[in-house]
Amino acid sequence: MNDHVLVIGSLNMDLTVRVPRLPTPGETVSGQDAVRGAGGKGANQAVAAARLGGRVRLVGLLGDDEFGAALRAGLRTEGVDDTAVGTLPGTATGLALIVVQEDGENSITLAPGANRHLDQAALVRLTGGDPARLVTGTDVLLLQLEVPVATALAAARAARTAKVRTVLNAAPMPPFDDQLRQLLAHTDVLVLNRTEATDLLTAAGLIATAPPTGAWPRLAAALRQLGPDLVVITLGADGAVAATADGHLSHPGYPVDVVDTVGAGDAFSAALTLALAAHTPLTTALRHACAAGSLATTRPGAQTSLPTRTEVALLAASTPD
């Protein structure tokens, strides 16, 4: 694939500790030594798309510290265009504190740092003073929500005006307010996991109680009422379901040995975005996205776990159990 992907989102330095189990409130659990690694959903998805063969430009903010310099160097090594990644004087780079238990489940606490300052004015500065340049030459816009919702909305509006498709990975899920409602109305493809989907369905008044087992195709279709043409709900090891105006389809997960689930959703979103940008049929796009997400769980870390195009193609060619 050889696609122009614009990613607007967060850049974080991840500090990860592996533990036998996640601590309960007020409890201390001893783990292994802390490991430092590149992260942030925006940077993760940009790197994932680059490894999968896309031409990727990232818009974001770093602090003027050691972490920021290391993250920028990493982007360049991965072939991500960082010309619209700014450095904010006097501000710390975003930091994620990650605890991972033996089965790969994790708990993450974010200190946004420079990411919280990626507002609409920053977008103008980072694009040379002309907001219209934001999506020029772009095939698809990929957004997440570790930056202000207002920023994502401004970008999605620019993309809608330019007739550029917008993919929103609605994570982490913010409060369901007017800004989020408008963002969803300007979103073409919505990607979220089952927890985020349940939260959004409940907040939007589309369901009153926890969804029953097997209801995900119907609930994905219900989320289309909020604006997106395509809604994809990821189901962890169970794969993913997608709803369009023509109905729904699903793809099972691939059986893999899970080490760490950090980065799996980012790999899925990037793979789906690239496939859709290349006008790949949805069934094939979903298969490749599930393969990318599954592969990302087999290695520790966020960006260190992201698969290559060849790895995804090989797994996608196999048949899930």
Side-chain angles (χ1 to χ4, degrees), residues 229-263:
D229 293 326
L230 168 62
V231 174
V232 180
I233 301 177
T234 60
L235 305 173
D238 295 325
V241 299
T244 71
D246 298 324
H248 70 267
L249 65 155
S250 62
H251 194 281
Y254 289 88
V256 295
D257 294 325
V258 176
V259 172
D260 182 347
T261 59
V262 174

Side-chain angles (χ1 to χ4, degrees), residues 50-77:
R51 287 191 188 172
L52 294 172
R55 288 182 290 170
V56 186
R57 180 164 54 110
L58 175 62
V59 179
L61 285 175
L62 294 167
D64 60 347
D65 51 19
E66 176 189 354
F67 287 168
L71 292 177
R72 186 181 296 280
L75 292 175
R76 292 176 177 175
T77 298

Side-chain angles (χ1 to χ4, degrees), residues 82-138:
D82 71 322
T83 55
V85 176
T87 298
L88 200 59
T91 304
T93 295
L95 181 67
L97 306 176
I98 304 173
V99 180
V100 183
Q101 67 183 19
E102 290 178 347
D103 64 359
E105 286 300 318
N106 63 80
S107 174
I108 303 175
T109 301
L110 290 176
N115 295 308
R116 66 160 53 95
H117 299 288
L118 188 64
D119 54 19
Q120 297 177 62
L123 285 185
V124 173
R125 293 194 305 273
L126 294 170
T127 53
D130 181 4
R133 294 178 56 187
L134 190 65
V135 294
T136 299
T138 298

